[in-house]
Amino acid sequence: MNQRQETSLTVTRKAIFWKPCRRMTAMLWSLLFVIQFFIIGIFIYQGSFKNYVYVQLSKYQKVNEEHFDSTLENCLIRDTSEPAPKPKCPVISPYLIGYRKPVMDDEIHLVETLQKYRYAQCGGQFRPSNCEARQKAALLVPFRDRQEHLKIFINHMHPFLMRQQLEYKIYIIDLDKEIRFNRGVLLNVGFLEASKEADFDCYFLHDVDLLPEHDHNLYRCSELPRHMSVAVDKFNYRLPYLTNFGGVSAMTKDQILFVNGFSNKFSGWGGEDDDLYNRLIFHNMTVLRSMPDVSRYIMLKHDQSPPNAERFKLLRTGMERVMQDGIKNLKYKISNRTDYLLFTYINISF
Ligand code: BGC
Ligand code: MN
């Protein structure tokens, strides 16, 4: 091969090699060109998605305001007139917003809460104005010396329950100072006093320091007693033990009467909820629980009360007393009852 031939061969080789290579480079550039449009498109889409979420939220906010504002006739006791017939509220309320971190600010003032939730201002009761609630609930909250928790609780629970389109009333039940705290007695009293006032479908046995975080945690009763506070932050959002029935639970009037309510004997901290669980099992009932991702609660911080040393003995012998000890044999006096605007306060003595 002579010099010329060799050069032309190299050129041809180069051409063979570079031609597709150039084509590939061109293709790559066009691909990048197209991808760039995709990326810009995604950014624009995300922006409008954010706007979309924002619009959705403000729409809900508006709906909520309208919903609360049109509820002037919700004073169940003072309003003696027959309510106008309304359609049943939907099974799932359109006002639910899912997870919402509870406001636990020390700066909550009940005066501001009052202004916000002015349509729940007859002893803390509410009913939706535009539809008939599917259930009427009484929130029974045992109480002692926890003013700072009470205002956070009240501020949180009103909008939470309103968004669920419930008809409800909040009862705070307290014992005279010199009597040892007794959660079982207070809840029994709450049940008896609330039942005198209205025919509630559901009673919530509710600690003041527990705030539901997710409003798909529907405050409704079922055909079996329900344990609501399945996942509490204090217990790492896990059930502390399988038979736990404390914190927040929901029972119908029939279910409470069937087991004779709580035992009245558990003074001090602990055991009364375990005894109630034993009562349910004793009466062949089981307990329902919803999914932990929805049944989430935050527990407000407090010092641990001294546990009742007697509780294990009482628990062992509990089912021997179940027929007498409870709602049936409870005697109490009401030493103070005040219908505050956002809750009804009942103080008892013996
Ligand atoms: C007590 C219950 C309490 C539970 C979770 C148990 O040891 O007996 O009354 O609800 O702990 O704190
Ligand atoms: Mn607690």
Side-chain angles (χ1 to χ4, degrees):
M1 212 183 285
N2 61 29
Q3 179 85 31
R4 233 171 126 194
Q5 270 174 329
E6 203 162 295
T7 322
S8 94
L9 197 67
T10 324
V11 169
T12 332
R13 269 200 204 123
K14 265 190 193 165
I16 291 167
F17 179 70
W18 279 114
K19 228 183 182 175
C21 205
R22 237 185 262 139
R23 219 180 281 152
M24 257 167 66
T25 319
M27 269 164 70
L28 263 174
W29 275 116
S30 6
L31 204 68
L32 278 175
F33 192 69
V34 175
I35 286 172
Q36 150 193 301
F37 278 108
F38 266 111
I39 292 170
I40 292 170
I42 286 169
F43 274 116
I44 293 171
Y45 175 74
Q46 273 197 338
S48 59
F49 183 67
K50 267 191 210 136
N51 282 344
Y52 173 72
V53 173
Y54 175 74
V55 170
Q56 284 282 355
L57 276 181
S58 41
K59 194 179 121 206
Y60 272 124
Q61 242 162 16
K62 193 151 174 284
V63 172
N64 267 340
E65 278 161 20
E66 276 166 16
H67 175 62
F68 299 153
D69 280 358
S70 56
T71 322
L72 270 170
E73 87 283 26
N74 67 3
C75 293
L76 303 184
I77 290 169
R78 287 170 215 174
D79 174 16
T80 47
S81 62
E82 268 301 301
K86 293 174 210 156
K88 268 207 175 270
C89 296
V91 176
I92 304 292
S93 160
Y95 306 117
L96 302 184
I97 47 174
Y99 173 84
R100 175 176 275 193
K101 193 174 173 4
V103 178
M104 293 174 290
D105 202 332
D106 280 343
E107 294 306 306
I108 291 174
H109 295 296
L110 280 183
V111 179
E112 283 162 23
T113 310
L114 272 171
Q115 276 160 9
K116 259 195 285 178
Y117 307 120
R118 58 191 180 282
Y119 299 113
Q121 293 188 6
C122 307
Q125 57 189 322
F126 172 86
R127 72 176 175 218
S129 60
N130 48 6
C131 60
E132 195 197 322
R134 287 187 177 255
Q135 287 201 358
K136 192 192 270 189
L139 251 74
L140 312 177
V141 186
F143 181 78
R144 164 152 293 173
D145 279 346
R146 293 263 193 99
Q147 270 76 11
E148 70 286 7
H149 285 181
L150 183 61
K151 62 181 182 181
I152 297 174
F153 179 79
I154 290 293
N155 187 58
H156 183 72
M157 292 313 290
H158 277 299
F160 173 85
L161 297 168
M162 284 176 178
R163 288 199 299 272
Q164 296 200 359
Q165 294 188 306
L166 272 173
E167 183 168 334
Y168 66 85
K169 181 159 180 171
I170 301 180
Y171 294 89
I172 307 295
I173 315 116
D174 197 355
L175 261 174
D176 266 3
K177 298 272 165 300
E178 62 278 6
I179 306 171
R180 230 174 133 203
F181 184 73
N182 187 320
R183 184 172 179 267
V185 163
L186 291 174
L187 289 167
N188 281 345
V189 170
F191 168 73
L192 289 167
E193 291 303 312
S195 309
K196 285 182 200 163
E197 287 187 353
D199 214 2
F200 290 101
D201 301 300
C202 194
Y203 294 83
F204 287 87
L205 321 168
H206 210 304
D207 282 1
V208 72
D209 55 12
L210 286 176
L211 309 174
E213 293 181 70
H214 200 297
D215 60 14
H216 288 94
N217 177 8
L218 300 179
Y219 270 42
R220 286 184 195 162
C221 272
S222 303
E223 57 293 348
L224 283 170
R226 280 185 72 192
H227 183 229
M228 310 288 292
S229 50
V230 176
V232 180
D233 66 339
K234 190 188 168 188
F235 304 121
N236 295 321
Y237 291 108
R238 291 205 192 110
L239 203 60
Y241 51 98
L242 218 57
T243 59
N244 182 269
F245 197 59
V248 185
S249 21
M251 289 172 77
T252 63
K253 187 175 188 167
D254 288 349
Q255 288 161 2
I256 292 178
L257 289 176
F258 192 47
V259 300
N260 193 17
F262 281 89
S263 161
N264 300 312
K265 291 197 175 289
F266 287 80
S267 291
W269 182 89
E272 81 296 330
D273 47 356
D274 302 319
D275 184 82
L276 181 61
Y277 184 85
N278 291 345
R279 287 176 178 229
L280 302 180
I281 301 303
F282 184 82
H283 288 87
N284 289 325
M285 285 197 259
T286 48
V287 166
L288 297 181
R289 287 196 179 95
S290 301
M291 300 301 281
D293 52 344
V294 163
S295 310
R296 289 166 64 94
Y297 286 78
I298 280 193
M299 189 186 280
L300 296 170
K301 303 262 174 309
H302 60 84
D303 298 333
Q304 171 76 47
S305 319
N308 171 15
E310 294 287 295
R311 68 189 194 284
F312 301 112
K313 193 170 157 224
L314 284 167
L315 276 170
R316 271 198 304 277
T317 54
M319 292 314 103
E320 295 164 18
R321 292 185 304 272
V322 64
M323 297 304 180
Q324 309 84 44
D325 171 22
I327 282 181
K328 280 188 203 153
N329 74 343
L330 177 60
K331 297 205 168 38
Y332 62 95
K333 285 188 229 127
I334 293 186
S335 37
N336 175 8
R337 179 193 158 119
T338 311
D339 288 18
Y340 287 107
L341 293 174
L342 291 173
F343 54 89
T344 291
Y345 174 81
I346 299 174
N347 187 284
I348 64 150
S349 61
F350 295 115

